[in-house]
């Protein structure tokens, strides 16, 4: 894995796919490369899909080509219009544009049917009456060849008649299929007379009840690519064997255009699962709230969590495209958003677990405005004004009753700097019946306004704070990784859900936030100084009741933890 930091594709050597596209462009074979992103609308897109989107749309942008968004909607039993809409939204949000090139495989059903009849007429397809179970048995194994179906040698006329009857709804679901006539002893199992069409008396979200036979993926995909004049059909490595079938279908039909399928390694990310089936299970069994739960590695979950499109694009660019299966550590994705937000997110102050402080020598009714920079390294991001008054909140863990010497925060008699404010010294504290510290009494040094002392007195610690009477109340959701092991679905004997992290979402209520956070928009990221990056949750926040999601901590706590163990 490469470890260079967020460089752009412009200063990186071309990956092996871009090299091919580049050569084909230079040689004049494909002056205008055409790629496509072909999701099946049976779930929400996840971070793995982002890799494919960035590759396909990236190539089209870089080489002046086109990238089609094509829904591979050939399985009506699992597909829904809700998924189509979410996929469109996610691709757009990632920053890509298919322009006029939005397609649906279902738009080709008439043409695909014609192609299937042509295959029959060329003696390259037949109607088979074996059951699904029998087809499986006849198929053979990796070590043993398959056996010919007894229906393999039907005449062209009989095949055409049966296939038309299949289309006309004469036969029951599962009673017959159309199969390619290739080679039952091929070393590639996909070539052992694969099924091309099956009977499925199910309504389709776009074609309604027009069809009761539906084409299979391998038949549909290559022909859809061909019909759209795709030049480079990019897919993940598990389709390597299917390339034989891809080419066989196009060769058998002698199509005028023959796209080139090229496989690359899929994205595998630690501490998550990436199959739509498993993500759906998490949703349906209420382990998460929804597809866009901020803990989900779906694009919509990442968006709601507060990831930026640029951080995801940078991540995809950083991990690159290769031919070898590998794992990417979740920390790489988290670092990508950390790096991006470090540059752009305004700094604010929010107290997650508040402890009240009374500044005994500060006038009771006084409020003053203190200027605070929005980004200490970027003066161009300006400043804001923070109210300061006699009663403040600080973070509970910034005080210790009996602190060790190296604790540079508050303790009895200790002095600390309030960020952008004054030096304060703790003079006493109050506790409740359970021994919990409930209030600190401090004094402030009026000479230290702005955070430095004219007498050159140094204090080591600086802590964040908010003025009590001006604070905005809010809840904070501290999100963490959804699973607590690197490979939750590695062991097929163990339910991946047994590895769910019980602390993937800790909800903290009664947080005290600086006033500017009362009017922030959902989806705008900020850094809570010393705490991490946060953004207002678009779903859970209500008027006067902000809920902030932690996008990511300031540092990689998992890396530190792993080093210690
Ligand atoms: P899943 O395995 O999650 O169900 P899928 O491959 O069935 O995903 P599709 O909707 O068919 O989902 O995928 C659309 C495109 O996204 C395909 O070209 C597929 O190769 C690609 N893709 C899916 N998962 C990944 C991944 N983890 N890394 C890279 N590309 C992926
Ligand atoms: Mg798929």
């Amino acid at each position: 894995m490469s470890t260079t930091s967020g460089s752009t594709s412009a200063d990186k050597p071309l990956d092996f796919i871009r090299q091919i596209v580049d050569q084909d462009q230079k040689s004049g074979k494909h002056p205008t490369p055409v790629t496509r992103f072909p999701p099946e609308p049976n779930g929400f897109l996840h971070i793995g899909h982002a890799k494919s989107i960035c590759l396909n749309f990236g190539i089209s942008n870089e080489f002046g080509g086109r990238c089609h968004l094509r829904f591979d909607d050939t399985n009506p039993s699992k597909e829904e219009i809700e998924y189509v809409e979410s996929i469109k939204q996610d691709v757009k949000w990632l920053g890509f544009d298919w322009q006029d090139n939005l397609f649906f495989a279902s738009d080709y059903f008439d043409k695909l049917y014609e192609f299937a009849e042509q295959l029959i007429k060329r003696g390259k397809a037949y109607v088979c009456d074996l059951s699904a179970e029998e087809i499986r048995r006849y198929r053979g194994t990796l070590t043993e060849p398959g056996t010919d179906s007894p229906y393999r040698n039907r005449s062209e006329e009989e095949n055409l008649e049966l296939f038309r009857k299949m289309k006309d709804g004469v036969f029951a679901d599962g009673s017959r299929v159309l199969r390619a006539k290739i080679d039952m002893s091929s070393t590639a199992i996909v070539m052992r007379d694969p099924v091309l069409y099956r009977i499925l008396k199910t309504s389709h979200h776009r074609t309604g009840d027009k069809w009761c036979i539906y084409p299979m993926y391998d038949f549909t995909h290559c022909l859809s690519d061909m019909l759209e004049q795709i030049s480079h059909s990019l897919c993940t490595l598990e389709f390597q064997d299917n390339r034989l079938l891809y080419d066989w279908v196009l060769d058998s039909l002698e199509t005028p255009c023959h796209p080139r399928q090229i496989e690359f390694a899929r994205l595998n990310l630690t501490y998550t699962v990436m199959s739509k089936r498993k993500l759906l299970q998490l949703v349906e069994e209420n382990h998460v709230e929804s597809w866009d739960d901020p803990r989900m590695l779906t694009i919509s979950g990442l968006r709601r969590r507060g990831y930026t499109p640029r951080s995801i694009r940078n991540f995809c660019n950083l991990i690159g495209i290769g031919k070898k299966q590998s794992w990417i550590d979740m920390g790489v994705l988290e670092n990508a958003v950390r790096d991006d937000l470090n540059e752009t997110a305004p700094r604010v102050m929010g107290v997650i677990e508040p402890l009240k402080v009374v500044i005994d020598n500060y006038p009771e009714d006084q409020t003053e405005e203190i200027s605070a920079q929005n980004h200490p390294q970027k003066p161009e991001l300006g400043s804001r004004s923070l109210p300061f008054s006699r009663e403040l909140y600080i973070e509970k863990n910034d005080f210790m009753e009996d602190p060790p010497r190296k604790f540079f925060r508050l303790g009895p008699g200790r002095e600390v700097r309030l960020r952008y404010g004054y030096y304060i010294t703790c003079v006493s504290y109050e506790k409740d019946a359970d021994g919990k510290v409930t209030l600190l009494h401090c004094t402030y040094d009026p000479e230290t306004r702005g955070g430095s002392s004219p007498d050159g007195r140094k204090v080591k610690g600086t802590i964040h704070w908010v003025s009590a009477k001006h604070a905005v109340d809010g809840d904070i959701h501290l999100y963490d990784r959804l699973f607590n092991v690197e490979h939750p679905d590695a062991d097929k004997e163990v339910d991946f859900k047994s590895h769910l992290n019980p602390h993937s979402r800790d909800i903290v209520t009664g947080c005290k936030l600086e006033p500017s956070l009362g009017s922030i928009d959902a989806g705008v990221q900020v850094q809570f100084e010393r705490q991490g990056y946060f953004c207002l949750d678009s779903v859970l926040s209500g008027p006067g009741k902000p809920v902030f999601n932690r996008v990511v901590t300031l540092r990689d706590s998992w890396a530190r933890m792993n080093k210690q163990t």
Side-chain angles (χ1 to χ4, degrees):
M1 197 190 74
S2 123
T3 49
T4 49
S5 68
S7 60
T8 62
S9 44
D11 49 39
K12 255 172 85 164
L14 298 183
D15 59 60
F16 80 98
I17 294 181
R18 285 177 167 87
Q19 280 177 24
I20 294 171
V21 174
D22 188 46
Q23 279 159 14
D24 287 349
Q25 184 167 54
K26 286 188 176 135
S27 73
K29 187 173 172 193
H30 295 297
T32 307
V34 186
T35 52
R36 85 286 170 269
F37 173 62
E40 184 180 351
N42 62 351
F44 281 57
L45 297 182
H46 53 61
I47 183 73
H49 293 114
K51 175 172 178 174
S52 176
I53 294 170
C54 289
L55 175 65
N56 282 292
F57 282 93
I59 285 177
S60 129
N61 290 345
E62 292 151 34
F63 291 87
R66 290 198 309 273
C67 181
H68 298 184
L69 175 60
R70 181 201 314 139
F71 288 96
D72 209 333
D73 55 347
T74 51
N75 184 0
S77 56
K78 286 195 189 155
E79 293 160 6
E80 284 174 34
I81 197 78
E82 179 202 0
Y83 296 137
V84 170
E85 292 311 316
S86 80
I87 289 170
K88 283 171 31 185
Q89 187 190 6
D90 289 348
V91 173
K92 269 194 210 144
W93 179 77
L94 276 174
F96 297 109
D97 184 359
W98 55 86
Q99 295 174 340
D100 299 332
N101 302 300
L102 176 64
F103 300 101
F104 292 83
S106 55
D107 289 344
Y108 308 135
F109 281 172
D110 287 299
K111 288 183 180 144
L112 294 173
Y113 178 83
E114 285 305 314
F115 283 126
E117 285 211 352
Q118 271 193 48
L119 276 187
I120 294 175
K121 289 174 192 160
R122 288 168 186 246
K124 289 178 182 291
Y126 62 98
V127 172
C128 180
D129 302 1
L130 294 179
S131 67
E133 175 46 35
E134 285 166 328
I135 291 181
R136 213 169 300 128
R137 250 188 300 122
Y138 276 65
R139 189 176 292 141
T141 63
L142 284 174
T143 48
E144 282 171 40
T147 314
D148 284 1
S149 159
Y151 305 99
R152 201 171 196 264
N153 294 315
R154 279 179 160 151
S155 68
E156 179 192 323
E157 293 69 34
E158 191 185 4
N159 277 321
L160 275 179
E161 188 194 326
L162 287 171
F163 188 49
R164 286 171 186 162
K165 283 188 174 162
M166 276 171 66
K167 179 184 72 141
D168 292 339
V170 174
F171 307 124
D173 280 17
S175 60
R176 286 190 166 87
V177 291
L178 182 73
R179 296 177 72 175
K181 191 171 178 177
I182 311 179
D183 178 5
M184 288 307 290
S185 55
S186 169
T187 48
I189 291 183
V190 287
M191 298 299 272
R192 295 183 189 169
D193 291 10
V195 173
L196 303 179
Y197 263 91
R198 73 251 200 242
I199 305 172
L200 211 57
K201 292 184 174 153
T202 303
S203 245
H204 185 280
H205 68 100
R206 299 191 85 239
T207 58
D209 293 321
K210 177 171 177 196
W211 295 92
C212 63
I213 55 171
Y214 291 96
M216 302 298 287
Y217 170 85
D218 282 312
F219 184 66
T220 311
H221 198 77
C222 53
L223 289 168
S224 305
D225 280 351
M226 184 276 293
L227 289 166
E228 291 174 23
Q229 313 249 318
I230 301 298
S231 59
H232 302 85
S233 177
L234 313 178
C235 63
T236 36
L237 283 175
E238 62 276 18
F239 291 99
Q240 202 153 8
D241 278 356
N242 301 59
R243 174 160 30 94
L244 295 169
L245 183 51
Y246 186 105
D247 290 335
W248 181 90
V249 171
L250 298 180
D251 287 340
S252 300
L253 289 164
E254 297 175 276
T255 56
C257 151
H258 191 132
R260 172 166 177 194
Q261 176 177 309
I262 307 169
E263 306 88 20
F264 63 96
R266 66 193 288 113
L267 168 64
N268 294 310
L269 197 59
T270 59
Y271 295 97
T272 189
V273 292
M274 199 93 88
S275 103
K276 279 187 271 190
R277 190 176 54 78
K278 288 179 185 152
L279 294 174
L280 179 64
Q281 219 176 320
L282 292 173
V283 176
E284 286 186 337
E285 296 175 13
N286 299 315
H287 298 289
V288 295
E289 308 275 336
S290 53
W291 278 102
D292 71 348
D293 185 298
R295 291 165 291 184
M296 292 277 271
L297 269 285
T298 50
I299 309 282
S300 50
L302 289 165
R303 171 168 63 234
R304 197 173 140 198
R305 169 88 164 249
Y307 273 70
T308 56
R310 186 175 42 211
S311 66
I312 296 175
R313 292 195 306 265
N314 287 350
F315 167 75
C316 292
N317 186 37
L318 181 66
I319 60 174
I321 298 293
K323 273 192 261 204
K324 251 189 36 219
Q325 290 292 4
S326 66
W327 285 86
I328 303 293
D329 192 87
M330 180 68 93
V332 177
L333 177 63
E334 292 165 347
N335 261 331
V337 73
R338 208 175 267 129
D339 285 352
D340 188 33
L341 295 182
N342 183 38
E343 292 293 309
T344 55
R347 275 51 175 166
V348 295
M349 294 203 275
V351 176
I352 298 180
E353 297 206 43
L355 171 63
K356 197 163 211 180
V357 171
V358 179
I359 306 197
D360 293 332
N361 61 339
Y362 195 89
E364 288 222 14
D365 298 320
Q366 185 170 310
T367 297
E368 63 186 290
E369 295 293 329
I370 285 181
S371 168
Q373 282 175 284
N374 290 334
H375 196 309
Q377 286 86 49
K378 296 194 179 236
E380 67 273 19
L381 292 186
S383 60
R384 67 200 185 282
S385 126
L386 293 172
F388 184 90
S389 64
R390 179 181 158 94
E391 296 195 354
L392 313 172
Y393 290 108
I394 64 164
E395 208 69 55
K396 219 173 242 161
N397 64 13
D398 280 336
F399 172 79
M400 281 177 84
E401 281 182 82
D402 187 15
R405 209 165 48 84
K406 294 219 152 167
F407 184 79
F408 300 118
R409 294 173 264 166
L410 274 179
R414 299 236 180 150
E415 190 172 42
V416 79
R417 179 189 295 107
L418 295 176
R419 181 78 158 148
Y420 301 114
Y422 295 95
Y423 289 9
I424 59 168
T425 304
C426 176
V427 289
S428 65
Y429 56 98
E430 294 174 15
K431 294 208 252 187
D432 64 12
D434 302 327
K436 231 175 63 199
V437 176
T438 52
L439 183 76
L440 302 186
H441 287 278
C442 294
T443 55
Y444 85 117
D445 177 353
E447 300 296 312
T448 56
R449 192 176 200 273
S452 62
S453 165
D455 66 10
R457 182 168 96 250
K458 292 261 182 295
V459 297
K460 273 220 159 120
T462 301
I463 63 173
H464 59 277
W465 55 277
V466 294
S467 163
K469 70 172 170 233
H470 304 95
V472 171
D473 287 300
D475 292 354
I476 289 185
H477 291 192
L478 298 172
Y479 288 112
D480 201 349
R481 296 176 183 176
L482 188 51
F483 293 93
N484 50 23
V485 297
E486 281 192 314
H487 304 291
D489 52 1
D491 185 346
K492 303 288 169 252
E493 305 293 305
V494 179
D495 183 358
F496 71 97
K497 287 165 292 174
S498 67
H499 299 302
L500 282 163
N501 173 7
H503 294 291
S504 61
R505 181 182 63 185
D506 285 338
I507 297 180
V508 192
T509 57
C511 308
K512 300 289 181 180
L513 314 172
E514 71 163 69
S516 71
L517 293 172
S519 57
I520 196 168
D521 290 328
V524 175
Q525 295 83 353
V526 288
Q527 185 196 88
F528 285 13
E529 295 212 26
R530 303 171 67 218
Q531 313 265 27
Y533 295 96
F534 292 79
C535 86
L536 191 73
D537 189 275
S538 53
V539 176
L540 299 174
S541 299
K545 188 187 165 291
V547 176
F548 281 88
N549 296 330
R550 181 169 70 197
V551 187
V552 69
T553 53
L554 287 182
R555 275 171 287 276
D556 184 351
S557 51
W558 286 80
R560 265 185 294 161
M561 208 171 71
N562 290 344
K563 243 182 235 156
Q564 281 161 13
T565 52

